[in-house]
Amino acid sequence: PAPPQEALSAAPLTRGVGSKTGNMPTHLHKNRKKRGHVSAGHGRIGKHRKHPSGRGNAGGQHHHRIMMDKYHPGFFGKVRTPKT
């Protein structure tokens, strides 16, 4: 008898962990057109960085304080209850 269909499944479509392109051929990637160009469409001044403002909730008491005070008053501290 033939093996069940699940056993004949092909290899997964992703190349590595977190790959979004699957088995798309290299010449179809948009990055190929940007080879040789300095900033790859992300601009020279406001560069494309991985986490320019920190990961997650970083900076709540520092560079994101205005946002935290405006939209999440009472988030920091132990004394008073947060405003609603």
Side-chain angles (χ1 to χ4, degrees), residues 6-67:
E6 300 88 35
L8 297 176
S9 63
L13 292 176
T14 56
R15 287 190 198 114
V17 177
S19 175
K20 295 179 182 175
T21 58
N23 289 329
M24 193 167 79
T26 305
H27 74 279
L28 293 178
H29 285 257
K30 289 196 173 184
N31 193 46
R32 295 307 307 168
K33 286 184 178 284
K34 299 181 197 282
R35 293 284 177 176
H37 299 278
V38 174
S39 52
H42 290 291
R44 289 175 184 239
I45 297 170
K47 301 167 187 65
H48 181 234
R49 298 280 168 90
K50 288 187 177 178
H51 299 279
S53 59
R55 293 177 185 246
N57 292 328
Q61 291 181 309
H62 305 282
H63 56 282
H64 290 157
R65 171 170 288 207
I66 293 172
M67 185 273 295

